[in-house]
Structure formats: C-alpha cells, structure tokens
Amino acid sequence: MIFITEWVQKVFVNWQQAILLGLFIWGIECLLFVRLLKPYQSEFSYRNLFSWKKLSTALIMGLIVWTALQLWTSSVFGTAPEFPSTERVVKYALIFLFNTFPNALIEEFIFRFLPAHYAEKKGISRQKLIILGIASAIIFSLGHVSVYILRDHTAWADLYATLMNVFFYGMVYFFIYILTDNLFFTALIHAFGNNQLLLINTPGFEPFFFYTFIFITLVWFAGKTFRKGFS
C-alpha cells in the first residue's frame, strides 16, 4: 500500500532514491520476519537454509541459465550481442543487489520455503503438497494487486490476466524450490525475471526464459537424483 501516495511514486522515478526506499522497506520487512519467526527458530536451521554452499551453487546455476538464454535466443533470432553501457550495468547491479534480489528472497522465503517446510514437518502427501503450492501461489498473486493498481496503474480489465501470469510464475517457483531445495537459486531466477539484463534482447524473452530455467532445473534435479542412487 506504500504506492498509494503520490510522493512515493515520484521517488520511484529516480532510481537512486528508489534503491534507498527499497532498502528501507526491506529492513522493516526483515525486522518483522525475525520477530514473527522467533517462536519457530528451533524447527529449522538458518545456517543450513542460507549456507555458502547453496549460495555458490545457485550463482553457478543462475549463470548457466543466463548464458543458455543468451545462446538460445541468439541462435533462434540470429541476433548478435549488444553489450550495455557501463552506466546501465552499474544501475542494474545496484538495483538488483539492493532491491530486486533481497525482495525476491523474502518472497521466496514466505511463499515457497515456509509452505514446503510445513509440508515436510506434517509429512503431507504429494497431492496435498500441490494444493498447498496452489494456495501459496494464489496468495502470492493477490499480494501484488496493490503494486499493479497503485504503482503500475494497470486497468481493472487487464488485472485478471496480469494476476494469472503472477500465479503461474508462483507455481513455477514453488516447483523449482521443491526440486532444487535451494532458496537462493529460486530467488535469483525470480529476481532476474523481474529485472533482467540481457545482451541479446528479443520480443520473445519470457517463453525463452521460462523454458530455459525449467530445463536447467530438471537437469539439476536429475543429476542430484542420479548421484543419490549411487551413494
């Protein structure tokens, strides 16, 4: 609801101010989450969830997704890379590191990790896990209503289609997290989808991006399963 004020909308026009505002909001969110999760800290390990091993693995897999996406779109459309200016790279990096990725990490923690952790704790069936994933994706999409209406000024007639798209990606992110058990990777993919830096721009970015990270996720999952079979 922060987007309801005209002052905040003007702040977001300036990306440097937007980063500072995003960091401020992110800090408040972190404090709230720490307070709300304090009674449940004994149920899961933050050290295991946010381990450096998982972070490094996520960065490598995320780089593979980004590179594969560039190569695929280049071969299909026959377009050459267009390297962005230094100013654009700096702007992208600052927004990604201090705004896009932290907020994606928080969303993935709430809408993917917590439902999956609850399912594991309760030992629920795969059918119920799917229902849980659908429910979390619905809440995830509804949580974006204020952003689309108040920030992006989306028309009410277009809101349903927009939220269906968010719901679809919410289900995909849930699927990715279940297969990889890596919160960093899911958050990286989420953040890159929200704020992408491409060397090869195409009008068909979204389907190429979607199929690329789904393919990499399945290969990753198959590799993990294969190794476990021989361990």
Side-chain angles (χ1 to χ4, degrees):
M1 295 301 290
I2 192 170
F3 299 114
I4 200 170
T5 63
E6 186 178 350
W7 173 81
V8 170
Q9 295 189 35
K10 288 181 179 179
V11 165
F12 272 93
V13 174
N14 185 312
W15 66 272
Q16 291 94 338
Q17 293 177 342
I19 290 175
L20 293 175
L21 181 59
L23 283 172
F24 175 72
I25 297 171
W26 183 61
I28 293 175
E29 290 173 335
C30 287
L31 291 174
L32 285 172
F33 292 144
V34 169
R35 178 66 184 87
L36 292 172
L37 292 172
K38 190 174 182 180
Y40 311 101
Q41 286 182 348
S42 60
E43 297 182 8
F44 53 85
S45 170
Y46 286 106
R47 182 176 297 180
N48 179 58
L49 181 65
F50 299 108
S51 68
W52 285 106
K53 181 180 179 181
K54 288 192 173 184
L55 175 59
S56 59
T57 302
L59 289 173
I60 293 171
M61 299 307 293
L63 181 61
I64 291 174
V65 170
W66 183 81
T67 304
L69 176 64
Q70 306 291 325
L71 294 174
W72 191 14
T73 53
S74 177
S75 63
V76 171
F77 292 95
T79 51
E82 297 179 4
F83 293 93
S85 64
T86 302
E87 182 182 358
R88 184 186 170 203
V89 172
V90 170
K91 177 181 177 180
Y92 172 85
L94 290 172
I95 293 175
F96 190 88
L97 292 174
F98 297 111
N99 192 309
T100 314
F101 178 68
N103 282 284
L105 189 62
I106 288 177
E107 286 187 342
E108 292 309 309
F109 184 83
I110 295 173
F111 296 106
R112 259 58 79 176
F113 167 74
L114 290 181
H117 174 74
Y118 173 81
E120 182 181 1
K121 181 183 176 182
K122 296 296 183 180
I124 68 175
S125 63
R126 288 188 176 183
Q127 290 80 2
K128 290 183 178 179
L129 180 61
I130 294 174
I131 295 173
L132 189 62
I134 293 173
S136 65
I138 290 174
I139 299 172
F140 173 68
S141 59
L142 292 177
H144 287 75
V145 169
S146 62
V147 176
Y148 291 118
I149 294 296
L150 301 174
R151 186 193 68 183
D152 299 341
H153 307 290
T154 303
W156 284 101
D158 301 327
L159 186 60
Y160 175 77
T162 303
L163 292 180
M164 283 300 297
N165 189 51
V166 178
F167 168 80
F168 171 74
Y169 272 94
M171 287 297 298
V172 171
Y173 296 145
F174 191 81
F175 169 78
I176 291 174
Y177 178 71
I178 293 297
L179 289 188
T180 64
D181 190 32
N182 192 310
L183 192 64
F184 286 119
F185 178 71
T186 316
L188 276 170
I189 294 300
H190 182 166
F192 182 67
N194 288 348
N195 184 28
Q196 66 273 9
L197 181 68
L198 297 172
L199 297 181
I200 302 168
N201 289 301
T202 71
F205 164 75
E206 283 201 4
F208 280 91
F209 173 58
F210 170 74
Y211 290 122
T212 301
F213 71 71
I214 285 292
F215 175 73
I216 298 300
T217 298
L218 291 174
V219 171
W220 183 357
F221 177 72
K224 287 174 59 178
T225 304
F226 183 78
R227 286 196 305 271
K228 286 180 180 179
F230 288 91
S231 60

